[in-house]
Amino acid sequence: MGYAKKRTGAAAGTAPRVAQSAKVSSAKKAESSSIWNMQIGGAKQKTDMKRVEVLLFVSELADLLEAGMTLGQALQALANQGEETSAQHFVCQDLCERIVRGENFSDACAHHPKTFPPLFSNMLRAGEASGAMVEVLRRLGDHYERDDNMRGKIKSALTYPCVVLVIGILAVIGALVWIIPQFQKVFDSMGASLPLPTLVLIGLSNAVVHYGWLMAIGVVVFVLWFRKWLKTEAGMRKVDGWKLRAPLVKGIVACGAYSSLAYTLKTLLSNGVNVLQALKICEETCNNAVIGDALRDARQRVTDGTTISGPLAGSGVFPRMMTDMLAVGEQAGDMVASLEHIGKRYQKDMDRNITTFTNALEPILIVLIAGVVGFVAIAILMAVFKVSSSLG
């Protein structure tokens, strides 16, 4: 309530100054969009902030509000920090102009869904109702930072094998295109019969040399088709279900999804968002179609008076430990604390699975690469020995 009074009075006092700044900004936009000011290859206006930029925006906005600045002044200050073509300048200036026109901060943020997801707007709406805007922004900052840490750990765990596989594939292609044809010329000049592994290797080399362009086109077409298929409902459910079942990978992806879901639900409930709305937001932000379907079914059953843990346990998607801990929290009337324990539990499991994944992946990749290199070396050496024996 105190925040609402402060915001109303401050907005009235700063409205002329912010409105004047908005007019200047609009004039600059109109001037820059004039055909006489167009530049070939000039900087393009960015309209969507990245996750890291949103994290910094939330933290800095909370600091400015806590220091005594009004919402309009804080947004204008953040807009002035970025370049005119930056996403921060565009978004903060637009938010400032909307607030001057009388919109709530949460409604203004909802006009930028790619920058501020539903979780952001709903938590701000709860903060406006309770007058604890700074506290809500702090919790949002903690949520974004925790989520980014989990994403960073998963990406770092998958980066190493991807890089090694790409380098290995390029090395094999290079050997088939440039090295094997040189040996083939030598073997053909000697006219000796070659062993089966060498013939297989030479056949692969000839296929890559003569039909490599066709293979490349086929790979590109397959990748484009696969990406398009992934955007369909059937494709998303198939791949997301595989992520939750695949060996090694499921321990990272599944635990990360459970931990993120628990923290998101805990953050929403602790800020006064009702259970049905919180489940809907989690369904939209979970980034997994299978988990999203389970949350949608749970939300429909919660409307009938059922507890959350029951439908989630019946879906078969969530582990028994998670639903049991959630049921204990429901019985004790403290779901927020229970969700906090669930989030910590599965975050630790994710960290442990990442370590297991990287430790298991190194010998697997070594054996794979050694097998390919060994096959190439044995095929060439067998041909060399056979040619040498025939000459001797």
Side-chain angles (χ1 to χ4, degrees), residues 195-323:
L196 180 61
T198 309
L199 293 176
V200 171
L201 186 62
I202 291 176
L204 290 174
S205 176
N206 290 332
V208 172
V209 170
H210 294 96
Y211 303 104
W213 61 273
L214 192 59
M215 295 179 183
I217 293 175
V219 169
V220 172
V221 170
F222 174 77
V223 170
L224 294 176
W225 170 83
F226 185 72
R227 291 182 63 181
K228 185 176 180 180
W229 178 71
L230 277 180
K231 296 179 180 179
T232 63
E233 291 187 6
M236 285 190 295
R237 284 177 174 78
K238 192 75 172 177
V239 174
D240 289 342
W242 176 83
K243 290 178 182 178
L244 299 176
R245 296 190 306 269
L248 292 179
V249 176
K250 69 177 180 181
I252 300 174
V253 177
C255 289
Y258 300 147
S259 178
S260 178
L261 171 62
Y263 277 126
T264 302
L265 192 57
K266 171 244 176 186
T267 304
L268 290 167
L269 294 179
S270 61
N271 283 277
V273 180
N274 64 74
V275 175
L276 293 179
Q277 186 67 18
L279 287 175
K280 184 177 181 181
I281 295 171
C282 291
E283 175 192 337
E284 295 173 351
T285 58
C286 66
N287 294 323
N288 189 290
V290 177
I291 294 178
D293 291 343
L295 292 174
R296 185 186 306 111
D297 295 339
R299 180 163 53 86
Q300 293 173 352
R301 294 182 62 180
V302 167
T303 57
D304 300 332
T306 312
T307 60
I308 299 177
S309 58
L312 293 182
S315 66
V317 175
F318 301 96
R320 181 68 180 270
M321 179 66 69
M322 179 177 178
T323 55

Side-chain angles (χ1 to χ4, degrees), residues 3 122-133 136 271:
Y3 172 79
N122 280 274
M123 284 188 61
L124 288 181
R125 194 169 289 112
E128 289 171 341
S130 61
M133 181 63 70
V136 169
N271 283 277

Side-chain angles (χ1 to χ4, degrees), residues 61 114 213 234 331 388:
L61 182 60
K114 292 184 178 180
W213 61 273
Q331 293 173 2
S388 299

Side-chain angles (χ1 to χ4, degrees), residues 2 18 20 36 63 72-73 131 179 181 195 199 218 220 222 232 234 298 317 339:
V18 177
Q20 183 179 1
W36 304 108
D63 291 338
Q73 289 174 332
I179 298 176
L199 293 176
V220 172
F222 174 77
T232 63
V317 175
L339 289 168

